[in-house]
Amino acid sequence: MNPQVKAVEYAVRGPIVLKAGEIENELRKGIKKPFTEVIKANIGDAHAMGQQPITFLRQVVALCTYPNLLDSPSFPEDSKKRARRILQGCGGNSLGSYSASQGVNCIREDVAAYIERRDGGVPADPENIYLTTGASDGIATILKILVSGGGRSRTGVMIPIPQYPLYSAAISELDAIQINYYLDEENCWALDVNELRRSLNEAKTYCNPKVLCIINPGNPTGQVQNRKCIEDVIHFAWEEKLFLLADEVYQDNVYSESCQFHSFKKILYEMGPDYCNNVELASFHSTSKGYMGECGYRGGYMEVINLHPDIKGQLVKLLSVRLCPPVSGQAAMDIVVNPPVPGEESYAQFIKEKESVLNNLAKKAKLTEDMFNQVPGIHCNPLQGAMYAFPRIFIPSKAIEAAKVHKMAPDMFYCMKLLEETGICVVPGSGFGQREGTYHFRMTILPPVEKLKILLEKVKDFHIKFLKEYS
């Protein structure tokens, strides 16, 4: 079989999750465990964790899916207006028809209008908008376009460490070269351009670095980049002629009052024509995160700017091979970028639901940080954004030896024991990358507050017991 497929690893749904599934089956069969349920804190799946859907989004998608409901008095007029606009853009007025490969035209127009509003009037062209099957599909497609060469001319892709393992998986599948740059854990996972330069210069000896990936807000690390950092990164990409990939799917998830989300597109334009006319940038958003949490719809978009017209033609060709993204996901994406506005009847309920989700996440981010930092041998940086904690854990040398015996990374050994003793499923830091000699795990903060408190208490008790056992 294809050796590149065998090389792909994806820790978020890796061995730890398979083990969690086995334990769930055992619990269903009545096999006794020291716990009654498995808590899957391994993945940012909001609705699976009990978050309620945003009413307006579901109303519009329901109307698009079953247009007979457009005559029902149960649905507000603004939701019907959105649904009619989307359906008029679909072949045969049906979500069941294929759309254009780039996506439904009116939805791409709505995305462009949203980007202009978000970025304070910076222009966005619908022709540069591509609707995607979640953000992951867009990221993989852009990487596919950019990877070429062999030997020392093989494309190098710079990714943050820790990273979201979609990147390492896509790079392995394409047989490109992964170039690691390390985020600064001592400085709240900040990105330092000196580290980018070190990483790039080393890589030039064995590959052709062409792509720089940025995740902001960070996954798994939760940091939010400040404006100066983004300017420095853009200048570096311009200087080194790198294609910038800005993964901005957590742009609504900013909790720290001292932080603000700045899009790479906005800062690029504000830096002037030398930059905004020359730096190639693809930025990504999704229905899966934010306050929506609509992972199952697989809705997303990418905006790609400064792409050479010939390359753009090749991108459209590549997208046409997979026909089109799910049209129901495109409809869900439309509501993310075109929500109710003041004066519309659904506005008050929409804002109430949106703010409730985001305020709740902000509370859970602070609770998680505070509780972890009370545990000896655990340190957690502030969760400025996104929806995960990535605490550093101290693992005694005796436990590291025990992990070797089990042929496991030390943090995998730790996470397996945590799962088997408490039913809590988290992902070891080794699945995301970390500095040599440091150990972490990633855990989502999505469970309801009461369940999250129980989860954090259980981790605390387990960690103290683990330290005693292996000290």
Side-chain angles (χ1 to χ4, degrees):
M1 66 175 285
N2 183 342
Q4 264 49 70
V5 172
K6 287 174 85 171
V8 169
E9 291 181 7
Y10 187 64
V12 174
R13 294 192 178 211
I16 202 106
V17 184
L18 296 175
K19 183 67 178 173
E22 287 171 23
I23 291 171
E24 277 185 318
N25 283 336
E26 289 170 359
L27 284 170
R28 275 195 286 271
K29 288 174 184 167
I31 296 169
K32 287 280 173 260
K33 301 277 177 192
F35 46 85
T36 55
E37 66 167 335
V38 171
I39 302 175
K40 286 188 177 168
N42 61 296
I43 197 163
D45 191 349
H47 293 189
M49 286 289 182
Q51 183 180 307
Q52 291 306 297
I54 298 294
T55 304
F56 187 77
L57 187 148
R58 285 296 181 91
Q59 284 174 332
V60 176
V61 176
L63 289 163
C64 289
T65 306
Y66 191 59
N68 291 13
L69 293 171
L70 286 163
D71 298 325
S72 166
S74 305
F75 289 79
E77 201 48 51
D78 48 0
S79 68
K80 291 178 180 178
K81 183 180 162 191
R82 300 290 195 291
R84 287 190 188 102
R85 172 175 161 77
I86 292 166
L87 287 170
Q88 279 162 11
C90 296
N93 288 344
S94 171
L95 284 195
S97 60
Y98 290 126
S99 76
S101 298
Q102 275 186 250
V104 174
N105 283 337
C106 68
I107 299 177
R108 289 165 56 220
E109 287 166 8
D110 289 346
V111 170
Y114 161 80
I115 292 170
E116 283 194 20
R117 287 195 308 277
R118 181 198 68 189
D119 292 346
V122 171
D125 183 350
E127 283 305 306
N128 293 333
I129 308 293
Y130 305 80
L131 299 177
T132 57
T133 309
S136 307
D137 167 56
I139 292 163
T141 300
I142 291 293
L143 286 174
K144 203 177 283 184
I145 285 278
L146 297 174
V147 170
S148 65
R152 283 181 62 172
S153 68
R154 193 82 188 126
T155 297
V157 181
M158 300 180 72
I159 64 171
I161 297 296
Q163 54 116 11
Y164 174 51
L166 159 72
Y167 291 94
S168 53
I171 291 165
S172 291
E173 189 181 342
L174 295 167
D175 197 21
I177 303 295
Q178 177 177 318
I179 305 169
N180 296 338
Y181 66 87
Y182 289 90
L183 302 175
D184 183 0
E185 184 169 11
E186 308 307 314
N187 191 19
C188 201
W189 298 113
L191 193 164
D192 180 359
V193 171
N194 293 325
E195 168 60 12
L196 288 182
R197 194 158 278 115
R198 176 208 65 77
S199 167
L200 181 88
N201 289 337
E202 272 183 28
K204 281 178 176 174
T205 62
Y206 57 84
C207 71
N208 176 20
K210 286 205 304 199
V211 188
L212 171 56
C213 301
I214 309 287
I215 309 174
N216 179 49
N219 173 13
T221 42
Q223 84 287 4
V224 179
Q225 289 178 5
N226 63 38
R227 185 189 185 92
K228 172 75 168 67
C229 173
I230 294 172
E231 287 174 353
D232 289 347
V233 169
I234 289 171
H235 177 74
F236 176 77
W238 172 78
E239 205 173 41
E240 297 291 346
K241 297 185 169 49
L242 298 171
F243 193 111
L244 262 179
L245 258 64
D247 180 340
E248 298 175 333
V249 301
Y250 296 100
Q251 60 189 258
D252 288 307
N253 301 102
V254 177
Y255 314 124
S256 173
E257 287 178 12
S258 61
C259 295
Q260 184 187 346
F261 170 75
H262 300 283
S263 79
F264 267 75
K265 162 87 178 294
K266 178 175 189 274
I267 306 298
L268 181 64
Y269 267 74
E270 289 173 353
M271 285 174 72
D274 273 2
Y275 295 94
C276 72
N277 294 332
N278 292 301
V279 176
E280 295 159 309
L281 170 71
S283 47
F284 305 89
H285 197 15
S286 166
T287 61
S288 302
K289 309 303 174 187
Y291 57 90
M292 309 78 67
E294 293 283 8
C295 303
Y297 276 115
R298 307 310 299 128
Y301 75 74
M302 59 182 177
E303 182 184 24
V304 189
I305 59 171
N306 293 327
L307 207 57
H308 188 282
D310 292 349
I311 308 294
K312 196 170 179 177
Q314 295 297 320
L315 174 58
V316 173
K317 178 185 78 176
L318 190 60
L319 293 173
S320 70
V321 173
R322 58 98 164 102
L323 298 174
C324 69
V327 183
S328 54
Q330 295 184 48
M333 192 74 244
D334 188 71
I335 305 315
V336 175
V337 298
N338 186 23
V341 295
E344 289 187 311
E345 65 183 295
S346 299
Y347 179 73
Q349 183 184 8
F350 169 77
I351 286 296
K352 186 181 172 191
E353 290 176 355
K354 175 182 174 179
E355 287 181 352
S356 168
V357 170
L358 293 176
N359 291 340
N360 214 6
L361 282 167
K363 277 182 204 148
K364 291 191 280 194
K366 190 77 180 84
L367 170 74
T368 304
E369 178 199 335
D370 290 348
M371 285 188 74
F372 273 144
N373 286 330
Q374 289 166 20
V375 185
I378 295 185
H379 176 260
C380 186
N381 272 323
L383 278 61
Q384 297 173 336
M387 45 184 63
Y388 312 98
F390 196 67
R392 184 167 172 175
I393 48 175
F394 172 70
I395 298 183
S397 52
K398 204 170 150 190
I400 294 169
E401 289 307 312
K404 277 183 193 161
V405 172
H406 287 84
K407 294 188 171 59
M408 286 183 188
D411 48 11
M412 173 63 91
F413 177 72
Y414 178 96
C415 291
M416 275 292 185
K417 289 200 72 83
L418 175 68
L419 174 64
E420 287 163 355
E421 292 180 25
T422 68
I424 294 168
C425 179
V426 297
V427 190
S430 47
F432 300 88
Q434 55 200 347
R435 279 197 184 274
E436 190 72 32
T438 69
Y439 306 106
H440 304 78
F441 63 80
R442 189 190 81 162
M443 183 198 93
T444 181
I445 60 168
L446 287 170
V449 171
E450 289 315 308
K451 189 175 267 194
L452 184 62
K453 281 180 182 167
I454 293 164
L455 186 158
L456 292 166
E457 284 291 347
K458 281 186 168 188
V459 173
K460 175 185 171 183
D461 293 345
F462 166 82
H463 189 79
I464 291 166
K465 180 170 164 280
F466 184 86
L467 291 184
K468 272 185 192 160
E469 188 178 342
Y470 290 100
S471 60

